[in-house]
Every structure is written in C-alpha cells, then in structure tokens.
Amino acid sequence: MSTCSVSKGCFVFKPSPKKRKLSQKTVNYFRERNNASEDTDLRFVTCQSLWNQIKSETEQIQEDLNKQLFDNLVSFLRRSHSEFQEKTTEWTCQMKSREIPTAALVLGVNVTDHDLTFRSLSEVLQNSITPYIALLEAKDCPGIKNLMQKLMGQLMNCYIDADSLEDEDHVQVSQNRIRCSMTSIISWYQNITKKTDSETPSKKRTSSSRHWQSPPVVVIFKDMESFTTKVLQDFIVISSQHIHELPLVLVFGIATSPMIIHSLLPHSVSSLLCIELFQSLSCKEHLSTIIDKLLLTAQFPFKLGEKVLQVLINIFLYHDFSVQNFIKGFQLCIVEHFYSQPLSVLCCPLVDAKKRLNSLSHDQCENIRRLPSFRRYVENQVSEKQILLLTADNFLKEITQKLLEDLHVYHENYVSVLRCLHVFTSSLPKYPLGKQIRELHCSCLENRVWETEEYESSLQLARMLNKSDLVTMLQQCVEIFVSSSGKEFDKTIEKLKEFLTQFQELEAEAFQEQDGSVSAQKELQKKTDLYHLQKTLLELKESRRSKKLTKFEMLRFEVVDYIDSLVRTYLVPADHKTLHEIMYFNTASVLRGHLNAAPRVALHTALNNPYCYLKNQALKSDGGNISNKAPDICIVYKLHLECGRLINLVDWLEAFATVVTAVEGPNADAASSDQVDDIIHARFIRAVSELELLGFIKPSKQKTDHVARLTWGGC
Amino acid sequence: MPNLEHPAYPAATLLHLESLVPCRESQVSMLLSIFGERQQFSFPSIFIYGHTSSGKTYVMQTLLNTLQLPHVFVNCVEYFTSRLLLEEILIQLQSCSSETEQTSRVPCDNFNDFVRLFKQAVESRELQDQTLYIVLDRAEQLREMEANILPAFLRLQELTDRNVTVVLLSEIVWELFRPNTGCFEPLTLYFPDYSIGHLQKILSQNHPPEYSADFYAAYINILLGVFYMVCRDLKELQHLAALNFSKYCEPVVRGEANERDTRKLWKNIEPHLKKAMQTVYLREISSSQWERLQHDDGEPGQLKGLSAHTHVELPYYSKFLLIAAYLASYNPVRTDKRFFLKHHGKIRKTNFMKKHEKTSNHLLGPKPFPLDRLLAILYSIVDNRVAPTANIFSQITSLVTLQLLSVVGHNDQLDGPRYKCTVSLDFIRAIARTVNFDIIKYLYDFL
C-alpha cells in the first residue's frame, strides 16, 4: 500500500472489507486435511451458515435478557436530570444539594461477558438518550489526569461521529492544545448543545428529536473494583462542583457486590452521589436460556454429545461463569465437527440432507459404512440386506435417508419428552435427577436414563406427589406437547387429557368418600370402652396396611407408569441411534485439549519426554534413564527432578557432564579427568539459565553455589 | 456580637455581608483587618484551616464578592497538576480584566513562567493600586505537586513584587504542610466548627416561603436532635432537611394538626428521621428513591439498601481458591501440617503455640502467603483432583481484580508472587456454606 505522504513514518491502514477472500483462505484450511477430501467446500459453507444462524440467535437471546435491565436504566437516566430541568425554582430543589445521579450496575463475576453488555448498553443509550457516552476502564486510568484525557478523547470523538467526519483533522490538531480539565469539557458541552439547537432546522432534526435539548453526559466505569480510590474520589469531587453546568450521570459496573462503593469511597464523597442499584440477570440463568434455545431444540441439526456438553458446562460452573466462553466453546465444537467428520456434510436441515445424500460419492458411502453405529445396524439385518447395504451404494443411500428421517423425528420427540420429564423431576424433593434441565439432558444422553438409580428413586417420589401438583404438572405436559412440532403426540395429548378428566371426576367422588370416612371417625369417637377402642384401632391399622389403593392412588400409578413408558420409548440415548455420528460431536478430548490449557503439564512433557514434540526417533526413551541425545535443557531438567529444595551447582554440573559424555564412550579418558570440558560447562550454564527463565529454579542466597527449586511433584 | 466595622468600606455593604455570614463574624472582621484598605499591601500569605464545612470556602467567597475585591478562586483538586493550576490562575486573571477579547491561551509550564506572565497580566489589568487575592481551595493538594510550588505561592508577593495575597484553604493543620527545607510562614487562621446553636441558626435561616420561620425552626430543632450525633456537616444537614420536610408538613397539609402542634408533629417525624439516618444518610438508598418512597407512602423496608446485596456468586473453584487463601492468610504456616495431613497426631493448642501467636490472628489481620501454599491448600481441601490448568491460575488473577485477594509487593514479580485474602470472616463463611465446607474447623483461631 502506498500513501501520498512525503514523510517516512508509520501509517495505519484500516482493512477494507474483503470477506470473500478471507473465507476462501479458511476453506483452504478445511481442505488441508488429506484424508478428508470430500465435500470440503460444502462442509465449510454449511458450517458457516450454521454458525451464523446460531450467532444471531445468541445475540437475540442476549438482547431479550438484557431488555429489562436496560429499560430500567434508560428510565433512570431520563428521570435523573429532568427533575432539575423542570422545577429549579422550587424551594426543596434549591435547598437540596445537587447529587450526581449514579447507577450501580451489578453484573456478576463473569467479567468477560461485561464487554458485550456494555457495548449493547451504550448502543441502547445512544439510540434513546444521549450521544455523549464515555466508557472508562481502570487500566487506562491510573491517575486522574489519564482519566480526564480518556474521557475528553471519547466525548469529543463522539461529537465528531455525531456530526459527520469532515472536520476530523481540525479537531485532531486542536485536541493537543485543549487542556485536560473539567472547564474544557464544560465549554465543549456548552458549544455543542448550542450548536445542535441552532442546527435543528437542518440536518440535526432526527437526532435532537431523539435526545432532548441538553442530553446528559454518561460516564461508564466498566470495572469499578479495579479503580484506585483516589482517582474515583477526585473525579467525583471535581464533577460534583460542575454538576450545574454539566448534566453528568455515572454508571458503575460492579462485579462483586455494591458494598464495594462504600469500601472505595468515604462518606464525604459518596454523599455527593445519588446511587440507585440495578441488577443484571445471573449468569447461570443466562446459560440455562442459552442451552434451552440452542441445544434443546430441533431447530439446529448440530448436536453436542454428552461428554462434550459436560466439558463445556464444567468449565462454566467450575472456572469462569462466562457465557461468552461457553458460546466460544460451542463454536469450536461446530468447527471441529465439520472439519474432522467428512460425513458432517449431511449435518444440515433434512430437506438439504436428502439432496446431498443423492450426490454422495462412493468414498463417502464407504465412510458411512465405516461408522460404528451403522455397522451395528447392519449386523442386525438379514443377510441379503447386509450384502446389499455393503455393496450397493444406491440402496445404502435409500436406507440412509430413512435413517436420517428417523433421527430427525427422534430429535423432535426427544426434546418434548425431555421437557415433560423435567416438569416432573424438577419439583421432587432433593432433585434426584437434577434441578436444571441441562443435568437431565446430560444424564439422558449418557446412557439409558431409566436404568439409573436416580431415575428409580425419582419415580418412587413421583408416586407420592399430591393431587394438585400432579394436575398442574399434567397440564404443563399437555402444553409442552401441544406446542411441540412432533407429530406422534396426538395420542399422548389425548391420554394426558383423559388423565386430567379422571382427576376431576375423582374430585367429585371425593366428597362422597369423605362422608364415609367421617362416619368411621364418628364411630371411633363413640367407643369409650378401652377394649373396644383398642380393637377398632387395630382393625383400622390392619385395614390401612392391606387397604386396597384408593382410586386416586391407582390413577397416580397409572400416570407415573405412562410417563415412564414415554421416557422408555423416546429418551433413548443418542449414541444408540444409527448414524448419530453425523449430527453429534463427541470428541471431548479434543475440546479439553483446546479449552483446558495446562501449561505446566505441557512444559513437563516437553522437558521430560522431548520425543513427544520433536518426533526424533533417537529421542524415543524407555522411561527412566536419561539419553544424552536429548537437548541440554531436558537433561538438566531431568537431573534437577532428583534434587531436593536446594541444588548444588557443582554436583549438578558433574552429573550433567557424566550424562553428556557417557555414551561418547570410547575415548573415556577425557571424562575421567577432573576437569570438565569448557564447552560442556558453557552448555550447562546456558541450560541452567534457560531453566531459570522458565521459572523452575531461582538463585538462592541461603547457600553459596546453590539454586532453589521452585516446583514440586511430577508436573 | 461583634459588628463589622472598617473605615474602607461603606457601612451598608458591611451590614449586608454580616447578614450573609452568620456565626462567622469574628473571623470575617479578623480577615478584614488583615486585608486592610484596598490599596494597602496585605500579609503575603494567609493559611485558613478548619473542619469540613466550617464555612471556609463560603466565607472567603462571599467576602471577596460582596466587597468586590479583585480575586482569583481556584480549587486545587480540580486543577490537579501544577501546570493546569498556574494556567487556570492566569486565565481567570485575563478573563476578569478583559471580558470582551478572548485572549489566546499561554502555555505556562513552571513557576518562573508564571511569575513573568503574572506580572504582565497584573500590569494589563491596571490593578496596581489594589490588592489581588489568590485563593487556593483544598490546598493540601499542593503538597502532591512539585516541591517548589507551595513555598513559591507563600512568597508570591515577594517574587512578583506586586500587591498580591495568597490565601490557602485546607482541612488539615499547617504543621503537615511545612516542607523540610523550610519556607515562609503564612499567617494561620482557624475556623472552629459550628456549634449546635450555630447550626440551628444557619439552617433556620432559609425557610420555605409557604411556612413561617418558627415552624421551620422547630423542624430544624427536631432534625438536629436526631442527626447531630452522627453528622455535623452543614451541607448534608441542609440536604436532609430539605428531603424530609414534606413529610413533616404532612399532618398540617391534611389538616390533622396545626403548625403549633409540635408534639404531634414530632411524633410523626421522629421515626421517619431515624429511618432516614439508617438509609438515605448512609447512601444505602438514593435520595430520589427516598423521595419517591415518601411520596407513595411506602415502607422503606421494601427497598433493599446497597449493603443488603452482599452475596457474591463465584465459580466452584474460585470459591475453594478463596477459602484456601483465607486459610493461608489467617493460619500460621506451621499449623498447615495439622490441618491438612491425614495422620498429623494430636497437637494441643497450648503447647503448640509460641508466645506471640496467642493473640487472635483475626485481630492482627491477614498475612501474606506465597502462591505455592495457596495451591497446596487448595489441592487438599478440594475432594476431587484438580489439574493445574491455566483456568485455575487465571481465576487467581480474576480474584485479584475483584479485590477479593490482593497482591503483596510488586506486581511484576513472576517468581513466587505473594497474596493476601481481603474478605471478611462472615463473607468466607457464607461462601464456605455454599460448598458444604466447615471452615471454622480449619481455622487456628477457633480451635
């Protein structure tokens, strides 16, 4: 690229949109794998379109989830300065000290997600309230000076954005001269509000109708916890002095708890603020919604296997609480699946899959035959059919099409029945099958859920549910089935409705029964004789033990049995299904390797077993002994593993020399001499300093000529 | 009551001034006599100190404005570097000399430039015959700037050879300002706190137009009775008075009591004020929320304050990391063996302790611990095996950014960073409860 500038210097070129080219490149990555020659382009396109769909879906979900919070915030901002604009003459307003309106936004500890939230927040605010928004991060503001610089830079730039880019150069030049103080911000603000007023008739109409005459200036502190106390205090004190001229609103992004405001700011400063609390949705709920909308739906053909899902959920729950990371992991699964599985070309909506199936090459047909689940299927067929399946491509395609249809239907049914089962299990005491639907989903994917103990115990518990609960659950189930897309559920709905009517009938009968029991009670009260009383009590107890089940209980058993039968037919684990490899991504080890980085383990393997990375046959070691062919640092590392907390450098050097010279054997005279070769000495020193750089040892002051070990154990 | 008297100023102005600065008459008359007449040289520098809201800034401002003395008023917090501060003084000088022409900004990087430019500015203002006052509010900030700034301001009169007086306003005493190398000693002047009588008088002055002065004074009396114990900040009291006055008037507006029915009014307002002290005064809920509550007649209990939201949700391993950090911070290193080894044998606390360990570690505060120890404790308190993945290490860092842990010593130290756990016992107990970990059993202090 060239410039018209005469000076030699650094130039920044913004990339022009060349998306086509870029994606072409990625296609090549897909192609590189030699064994997967088939349909790479098609797979890539499918993968891209699927990901785009999922991405827009997640963004939609995010927007919906944040809507409530943002609405509250927007109304707060509207309120914050309007009061003073309306009634400045009133006595109370004159007397009250004017506080800075402040929104304390509690977002939870998943800091990685906050960026997205803040971006959409500033978008929302820009659309509805004010163009003047500054986002401040603690790392940019070590001092009040940097904070003011950053603030001014962002505010004045946003002015440029609002007012077309034509006079950019002018502002850039003048920015150096502008003093970083509140007065310059105020004069800028007065200028700009005056300007928009005068310009209203022409081009500014749209924006000024959206915002008011003097829109507030919103300053967002993204990570409140990391700001130093002094910077915050100074900024608040300064801006509170100018609140009359500059309608400022602060937003504190808080990750932990709002108590942090009190611990960061002394009362004299926090009394300058008018703090209102806003709480975002918890990240766990967010994840549940994402799983609900992305995984538990027949909308997307791509599915996650049990192990993979477990890995992703574990990372979320155990490590970061970050929904963004979860989605990134999901994306990785998609890419990996389409990259590594040649048959993933069929992982698309059923209509397309049928078309693609017809144009499959012979190699791909062979791929299908190689699938373990398909082999199992073939083995269960009669022998003529087996031969046909294994030899005739056309017949195979026909059968495959049928199997894919089956799989599709299975998905649709699976989701509805799973939700239905969840309705039951989520209300049982102690939640034997998990409270969340994702746990239920995992255990259903893992193996036949009805064979597990937890399922057994939850059925036991379900048999003890009371009537009102049972009825509401049944109603919920009916709703789920009615709204589901599966076609087989007409009968089920009928059956469930029948149950419901039976329950209603029971209610009517219950009155009569009550009468009967009341009379028995009355009889009991009549008996005053001790002997008789005992006798009747015993009788009552006996009858209760061997009592025939009441109608309600019978019905309850029937309902539970029916649900059980539904589960057994529809919640078969996916890997029992033929051709599940096409839709399900199940290589958890790959995912774990990518997402659960273990730097120390990797370093240890590299140093302990260099063959693992270098792939040099000479290095193939057989366990404990140290080869002298290995790089110096590996020898030094292995030797240091045998030492204690302090390592004597001389001993270490000698051991090193012995190892290095060991097999260079024949001229052993050099090794026997006390003097260590200078070259070996130099190699040793270099290896030791490399170890120090990697953080395994450090120089010690406790003993001369010793270094201290910093690591323990095998890794 | 000392009436203000000064030959240089008309009596009417002085009377007006006196009405504006209630309870500060003696200080004002003192200042007036130091200032002398307009053309007379005054003391080169005056240092005024006193507690928060003892009227330093207000008195200075009203005094200079009412008597129309030429002055420059600068807040040192707002102009945080010496360059900004000096330039601001020059700008104010220029702007009051010539309102019409907007003079271009002159860069002023050091005090030498300032003295030169200051002379020019004063010359052009034709003010040689009047004393110019430079008031530096929040002067304690000057100590953070270059070492020469404060001494130079103190003898500005001498350096510029112009009729100028520098007034420093601060909340701390002069002894904390005095540089090691010595400097010109300013004339110090103390503004004492307002007494309760003063506060009553000042607050009652601005009564709302709809109500009589007596009625408002009675209200202020009640207000002070509740709040004087915790708050003597005039501004804050005024704010509180304005916030709660509508509630006080309620019975009168509804016609249930008349303005003289003090007892009834007191019964109505007193619990309300007490509630205000616990919520809005501490900024637990904002004043606008408080007003809305008042308006809707709701119970303040419905609105949870900031402190009510103490619960922090953390990922599973973060919880254990935090617990491990807490244990490492509050247990002596030697006791780790006893808590985390399986066959540690019985160690009696009394024999086991050294003398200095007899005081509770919780009274002494958290102690720093190395990363290794944290991880070792983590591995022994988590039931299943934890792989030392990057995720674990990044969680430690994120706990630091959340201010639940803090790094001791240098940030860039890679070998053996040391941390401290900064959370409270209550917090960690709540965290431990969520993972079914009985932390008390593992704390040396509670053996």
Side-chain angles (χ1 to χ4, degrees):
Chain A
M1 289 197 203
S2 62
T3 59
C4 53
S5 167
V6 220
S7 69
K8 285 178 185 174
C10 244
F11 296 95
V12 174
F13 294 99
K14 283 187 183 163
S16 49
K18 280 176 188 158
K19 252 200 172 152
R20 281 285 125 232
K21 205 176 170 186
L22 207 87
S23 60
Q24 207 58 43
K25 243 187 210 162
T26 6
V27 171
N28 289 339
Y29 283 124
F30 258 65
R31 243 179 235 146
E32 263 166 34
R33 192 120 145 186
N34 40 14
N35 67 338
S37 52
E38 299 91 0
D39 304 321
T40 40
D41 294 354
L42 195 56
R43 255 154 61 201
F44 178 71
V45 172
T46 325
C47 174
Q48 288 272 293
S49 72
L50 178 66
W51 168 241
N52 286 337
Q53 261 181 50
I54 288 177
K55 201 173 150 201
S56 61
E57 178 81 25
T58 52
E59 276 163 9
Q60 189 58 45
I61 293 169
Q62 194 122 32
E63 210 170 282
D64 294 347
L65 288 180
N66 282 332
K67 195 171 179 305
Q68 175 75 35
L69 174 72
F70 288 169
D71 284 353
N72 287 347
L73 261 175
V74 164
S75 70
F76 167 73
L77 287 174
R78 280 189 203 288
R79 219 165 42 218
S80 58
H81 280 284
S82 62
E83 276 175 29
F84 290 99
Q85 279 166 351
E86 281 164 15
K87 40 172 190 181
T88 39
T89 48
E90 228 174 80
W91 173 81
T92 38
C93 288
Q94 280 176 350
M95 293 305 289
K96 256 190 309 188
S97 49
R98 181 117 182 238
E99 295 166 313
I100 309 173
T102 305
L105 196 58
V106 181
L107 291 167
V109 294
N110 46 336
V111 183
T112 30
D113 295 353
H114 294 181
D115 237 15
L116 208 70
T117 317
F118 280 122
R119 218 179 309 144
S120 41
L121 170 65
S122 62
E123 231 165 71
V124 167
L125 294 186
Q126 227 143 28
N127 289 335
S128 55
I129 302 270
T130 169
Y132 314 123
I133 297 168
L135 278 159
L136 298 177
E137 257 178 296
K139 65 168 193 261
D140 299 330
C141 313
I144 178 79
K145 191 175 166 189
N146 311 70
L147 188 143
M148 293 303 269
Q149 262 167 0
K150 202 85 199 160
L151 179 65
M152 287 178 68
Q154 290 194 20
L155 285 180
M156 312 222 167
N157 269 334
C158 85
Y159 155 61
I160 298 168
D161 284 344
D163 199 357
S164 83
L165 286 155
E166 57 203 25
D167 48 3
E168 190 172 16
D169 301 12
H170 167 71
V171 177
Q172 293 271 288
V173 173
S174 66
Q175 191 158 20
N176 282 334
R177 275 191 301 149
I178 292 178
R179 291 153 18 95
C180 281
S181 68
M182 213 55 173
T183 30
S184 8
I185 293 184
I186 289 163
S187 61
W188 159 80
Y189 184 77
Q190 277 162 354
N191 268 338
I192 200 156
T193 39
K194 224 187 288 164
K195 219 183 220 172
T196 40
D197 280 357
S198 58
E199 274 177 20
T200 357
S202 59
K203 63 177 177 177
K204 275 287 173 183
R205 174 156 286 161
T206 49
S207 72
S208 56
S209 62
R210 269 189 297 146
H211 314 304
W212 333 297
Q213 287 311 59
S214 49
V217 176
V218 181
V219 180
I220 302 176
F221 293 90
K222 274 180 166 179
D223 39 355
M224 176 81 172
E225 280 91 352
S226 312
F227 276 91
T228 49
T229 336
K230 179 145 191 344
V231 172
L232 276 180
Q233 284 182 30
D234 283 356
F235 180 72
I236 292 169
V237 168
I238 293 172
S239 36
S240 82
Q241 272 168 355
H242 296 285
I243 191 73
H244 293 276
E245 296 139 291
L246 186 73
L248 197 72
V249 181
L250 305 181
V251 177
F252 291 154
I254 295 171
T256 50
S257 77
M259 287 286 281
I260 196 84
I261 296 176
H262 289 317
S263 59
L264 276 178
L265 303 175
H267 183 249
S268 63
V269 177
S270 64
S271 66
L272 301 171
L273 302 176
C274 171
I275 308 166
E276 272 188 48
L277 194 67
F278 296 90
Q279 212 145 11
S280 77
L281 201 69
S282 95
C283 48
K284 281 185 184 166
E285 280 170 54
H286 192 168
L287 181 80
S288 307
T289 331
I290 291 275
I291 287 181
D292 208 51
K293 293 270 164 65
L294 290 188
L295 301 182
L296 300 178
T297 166
Q299 191 188 350
F300 304 111
F302 176 78
K303 306 278 174 196
L304 290 180
E306 187 264 333
K307 289 212 180 82
V308 172
L309 184 58
Q310 204 69 57
V311 168
L312 287 180
I313 289 178
N314 279 354
I315 289 179
F316 177 87
L317 288 179
Y318 284 177
H319 294 296
D320 57 6
F321 269 176
S322 164
V323 178
Q324 288 309 308
N325 280 356
F326 183 86
I327 293 169
K328 284 267 155 61
F330 188 55
Q331 186 185 10
L332 183 70
C333 293
I334 295 174
V335 172
E336 188 64 38
H337 180 68
F338 280 92
Y339 175 66
S340 57
Q341 175 61 265
L343 285 172
S344 59
V345 70
L346 296 178
C347 182
C348 54
L350 194 60
V351 192
D352 299 336
K354 281 179 188 166
K355 276 184 214 150
R356 287 178 191 180
L357 192 61
N358 289 327
S359 54
L360 277 192
S361 66
H362 175 68
D363 284 348
Q364 283 283 49
C365 291
E366 284 301 311
N367 278 333
I368 294 181
R369 283 174 191 133
R370 256 180 246 133
L371 292 178
S373 66
F374 188 74
R375 280 201 206 161
R376 244 180 286 140
Y377 172 76
V378 171
E379 277 159 22
N380 291 334
Q381 304 299 319
V382 286
S383 57
E384 301 97 66
K385 212 175 171 189
Q386 279 184 359
I387 296 167
L388 265 180
L389 277 174
L390 293 178
T391 50
D393 282 357
N394 277 335
F395 184 68
L396 174 82
K397 283 178 187 173
E398 243 171 65
I399 293 293
T400 314
Q401 183 173 342
K402 225 179 80 209
L403 288 172
L404 281 178
E405 274 170 22
D406 279 355
L407 203 58
H408 189 75
V409 171
Y410 159 74
H411 281 150
E412 281 182 346
N413 298 340
Y414 177 87
V415 175
S416 313
V417 176
L418 185 76
R419 283 183 203 282
C420 177
L421 180 61
H422 180 240
V423 166
F424 277 86
T425 57
S426 64
S427 56
L428 297 176
K430 282 194 180 170
Y431 312 106
L433 276 170
K435 200 176 180 179
Q436 304 282 345
I437 195 164
R438 57 166 187 260
E439 296 163 84
L440 192 64
H441 180 52
C442 278
S443 47
C444 286
L445 282 178
E446 198 180 0
N447 43 34
R448 292 194 179 95
V449 69
W450 56 89
E451 287 172 358
T452 59
E453 271 176 43
E454 291 86 10
Y455 182 77
E456 205 53 51
S457 63
S458 44
L459 276 196
Q460 292 281 318
L461 289 170
R463 289 197 183 102
M464 287 182 269
L465 285 170
N466 65 19
K467 191 160 72 184
S468 62
D469 283 354
L470 208 57
V471 169
T472 48
M473 279 176 203
L474 282 178
Q475 276 160 349
Q476 280 174 346
C477 290
V478 170
E479 272 166 36
I480 288 169
F481 285 125
V482 166
S483 61
S484 83
S485 49
K487 285 143 199 127
E488 298 178 17
F489 290 126
D490 293 344
K491 267 188 189 164
T492 322
I493 296 170
E494 257 174 47
K495 182 84 181 160
L496 290 175
K497 281 187 176 160
E498 199 185 306
F499 280 134
L500 280 173
T501 47
Q502 278 176 335
F503 273 118
Q504 275 165 3
E505 282 166 20
L506 265 185
E507 226 156 281
E509 284 172 35
F511 282 113
Q512 298 161 9
E513 234 174 80
Q514 223 167 28
D515 293 344
S517 66
V518 166
S519 66
Q521 292 276 320
K522 270 180 189 163
E523 241 172 80
L524 201 74
Q525 280 163 0
K526 271 183 219 162
K527 299 276 191 281
T528 44
D529 182 4
L530 196 66
Y531 170 74
H532 281 283
L533 181 68
Q534 202 174 12
K535 204 173 150 193
T536 35
L537 274 176
L538 273 173
E539 266 170 21
L540 262 178
K541 202 177 161 194
E542 196 69 9
S543 73
R544 218 169 269 165
R545 193 178 292 158
S546 64
K547 196 169 67 175
K548 271 206 291 177
L549 298 169
T550 62
K551 275 187 183 167
F552 166 66
E553 282 164 331
M554 300 266 276
L555 197 54
R556 189 161 62 182
F557 275 165
E558 250 178 78
V559 170
V560 174
D561 287 343
Y562 184 71
I563 297 291
D564 184 39
S565 71
L566 278 182
V567 168
R568 278 165 202 266
T569 32
Y570 293 111
L571 292 189
V572 185
D575 43 5
H576 289 234
K577 284 280 169 187
T578 315
L579 293 185
H580 70 91
E581 288 94 338
I582 293 176
M583 309 292 188
Y584 282 80
F585 177 69
N586 224 342
T587 13
S589 56
V590 177
L591 195 68
R592 222 176 277 136
H594 282 305
L595 296 181
N596 256 345
R600 272 179 80 173
V601 176
L603 208 55
H604 177 75
T605 8
L607 292 172
N608 203 34
N609 183 16
Y611 174 75
C612 181
Y613 288 97
L614 295 177
K615 303 285 180 211
N616 185 344
Q617 285 302 322
L619 295 175
K620 224 170 182 176
S621 70
D622 45 334
N625 55 351
I626 306 167
S627 148
N628 67 336
K629 301 266 187 349
D632 291 343
I633 188 172
C634 298
I635 301 173
V636 170
Y637 177 77
K638 276 197 171 179
L639 287 171
H640 114 288
L641 285 181
E642 294 161 10
C643 298
R645 180 164 158 63
L646 287 174
I647 307 171
N648 186 337
L649 275 173
V650 181
D651 293 349
W652 201 5
L653 169 63
E654 248 160 45
F656 178 73
T658 326
V659 171
V660 171
T661 50
V663 196
E664 284 168 9
N667 45 356
D669 331 336
S672 66
S673 71
D674 288 349
Q675 212 62 29
V676 179
D677 189 1
D678 275 352
I679 293 179
I680 291 178
H681 197 163
R683 278 166 62 184
F684 173 72
I685 288 173
R686 191 169 73 176
V688 168
S689 53
E690 276 171 356
L691 268 196
E692 191 183 335
L693 185 72
L694 289 177
F696 285 100
I697 53 168
K698 73 171 181 184
S700 151
K701 280 174 193 149
Q702 291 174 17
K703 255 178 170 178
T704 46
D705 290 341
H706 279 70
V707 289
R709 257 188 91 173
L710 292 170
T711 56
W712 298 104
C715 55
Chain B
M1 186 193 279
N3 268 318
L4 297 180
E5 274 179 25
H6 202 278
Y9 308 103
T13 329
L14 285 177
L15 212 63
H16 178 58
L17 179 65
E18 196 178 329
S19 70
L20 284 178
V21 287
C23 313
R24 280 283 171 261
E25 293 87 358
S26 64
Q27 281 81 11
V28 170
S29 76
M30 171 74 138
L31 278 173
L32 278 180
S33 43
I34 296 170
F35 287 173
E37 289 175 27
R38 280 171 190 272
Q39 72 284 3
Q40 286 169 342
F41 270 58
S42 172
F43 205 78
S45 48
I46 303 169
F47 181 82
I48 298 175
Y49 69 103
H51 220 270
T52 320
S53 82
S54 49
K56 302 178 293 291
T57 313
Y58 175 73
V59 165
M60 245 3 247
Q61 234 158 2
T62 22
L63 177 65
L64 293 172
N65 282 333
T66 338
L67 299 182
Q68 290 173 332
L69 299 170
H71 67 275
V72 171
F73 210 100
V74 188
N75 188 328
C76 295
V77 176
E78 193 179 339
Y79 302 96
F80 36 84
T81 64
S82 61
R83 184 160 163 255
L84 282 177
L85 181 70
L86 299 177
E87 279 178 3
E88 178 63 23
I89 295 174
L90 290 174
I91 290 168
Q92 285 199 23
L93 265 180
Q94 280 171 350
S95 65
C96 34
S97 65
S98 47
E99 281 86 359
T100 44
E101 60 164 313
Q102 190 66 38
T103 40
S104 64
R105 191 166 292 123
V106 266
C108 172
D109 288 326
N110 52 36
F111 216 88
N112 196 20
D113 285 349
F114 175 71
V115 171
R116 182 171 54 82
L117 293 166
F118 181 79
K119 280 189 200 167
Q120 283 176 11
V122 172
E123 222 100 323
S124 66
R125 273 189 79 179
E126 299 156 357
L127 274 178
Q128 287 93 325
D129 53 335
Q130 285 190 45
T131 319
L132 176 73
Y133 296 93
I134 297 180
V135 187
L136 301 174
D137 200 358
R138 305 287 295 262
E140 57 268 18
Q141 293 290 322
L142 288 177
R143 301 180 301 167
E144 321 263 307
M145 296 176 189
E146 288 88 334
N148 67 334
I149 298 287
L150 178 63
F153 267 123
L154 288 173
R155 52 199 329 156
L156 190 65
Q157 197 176 73
E158 183 185 329
L159 290 170
T160 53
D161 196 22
R162 293 290 179 275
N163 189 359
V164 60
T165 290
V166 176
V167 184
L168 303 174
L169 304 180
S170 174
E171 287 177 15
I172 56 177
V173 292
W174 167 247
E175 279 67 30
L176 294 171
F177 277 77
R178 197 178 285 139
N180 295 331
T181 48
C183 64
F184 181 84
E185 291 282 320
L187 187 75
T188 53
L189 197 64
Y190 176 60
F191 275 40
D193 283 353
Y194 290 116
S195 68
I196 189 163
H198 289 161
L199 288 174
Q200 167 88 38
K201 191 175 163 196
I202 298 167
L203 287 172
S204 318
Q205 228 176 20
N206 291 313
H207 63 90
E210 307 95 55
Y211 294 94
S212 71
D214 285 346
F215 179 67
Y216 191 68
Y219 167 64
I220 291 297
N221 198 11
I222 295 169
L223 184 89
L224 280 177
V226 175
F227 280 103
Y228 186 69
M229 291 298 284
V230 291
C231 174
R232 297 177 186 196
D233 189 332
L234 186 60
K235 250 190 230 160
E236 187 70 22
L237 284 171
Q238 202 161 32
H239 180 69
L240 288 167
L243 273 185
N244 295 308
F245 187 60
S246 62
K247 178 83 181 175
Y248 183 70
C249 301
E250 239 171 42
V252 179
V253 173
R254 274 184 302 198
E256 290 168 6
N258 69 23
E259 291 196 12
R260 308 210 163 275
D261 217 345
T262 352
R263 190 170 162 70
K264 206 165 192 179
L265 291 172
W266 178 79
K267 261 200 161 166
N268 174 45
I269 195 70
E270 216 245 351
H272 185 74
L273 287 180
K274 285 212 163 131
K275 229 168 249 163
M277 186 158 75
Q278 285 156 13
T279 53
V280 70
Y281 168 65
L282 294 175
R283 294 316 192 260
E284 286 287 300
I285 62 174
S286 73
S287 44
S288 58
Q289 277 172 323
W290 179 252
E291 276 187 322
R292 247 174 289 146
L293 268 182
Q294 249 173 38
H295 198 256
D296 310 338
D297 233 2
E299 270 291 299
Q302 296 161 355
L303 246 177
K304 275 192 185 166
L306 294 182
S307 320
H309 301 262
T310 45
H311 177 66
V312 178
E313 238 182 309
L314 287 172
Y316 187 72
Y317 283 140
S318 293
K319 284 178 187 168
F320 274 108
L321 275 170
L322 201 61
I323 291 171
Y326 192 84
L327 293 175
S329 266
Y330 286 97
N331 281 346
V333 183
R334 293 174 313 111
T335 58
D336 283 358
K337 225 182 208 172
R338 184 227 176 276
F339 287 122
F340 304 115
L341 273 187
K342 274 207 176 106
H343 308 288
H344 53 79
K346 261 240 152 80
I347 304 171
R348 290 205 164 272
K349 194 179 178 184
T350 41
N351 306 336
F352 192 60
M353 277 190 304
K354 282 181 190 162
K355 205 166 190 183
H356 66 269
E357 279 171 3
K358 284 203 176 126
T359 42
S360 160
N361 287 306
H362 279 85
L363 289 179
L364 294 173
K367 294 190 184 60
F369 55 87
L371 178 65
D372 293 347
R373 192 168 162 229
L374 172 70
L375 290 178
I377 295 179
L378 173 75
Y379 294 146
S380 62
I381 59 174
V382 179
D383 290 334
N384 41 358
R385 222 181 134 262
V386 194
T389 57
N391 280 331
I392 294 281
F393 293 107
S394 70
Q395 275 179 74
I396 299 177
T397 324
S398 42
L399 285 177
V400 172
T401 55
L402 295 179
Q403 303 247 302
L404 299 172
L405 299 183
S406 68
V407 184
V408 182
H410 289 294
N411 240 343
D412 49 347
Q413 198 179 2
L414 282 177
D415 53 337
R418 294 163 73 78
Y419 301 92
K420 255 185 196 181
C421 186
T422 56
V423 300
S424 65
L425 181 64
D426 286 339
F427 186 89
I428 203 74
R429 281 178 78 170
I431 291 277
R433 209 173 301 130
T434 58
V435 289
N436 288 326
F437 181 84
D438 187 6
I439 193 163
I440 295 297
K441 254 171 51 185
Y442 285 86
L443 278 170
Y444 184 62
D445 283 350
F446 298 102
L447 269 187

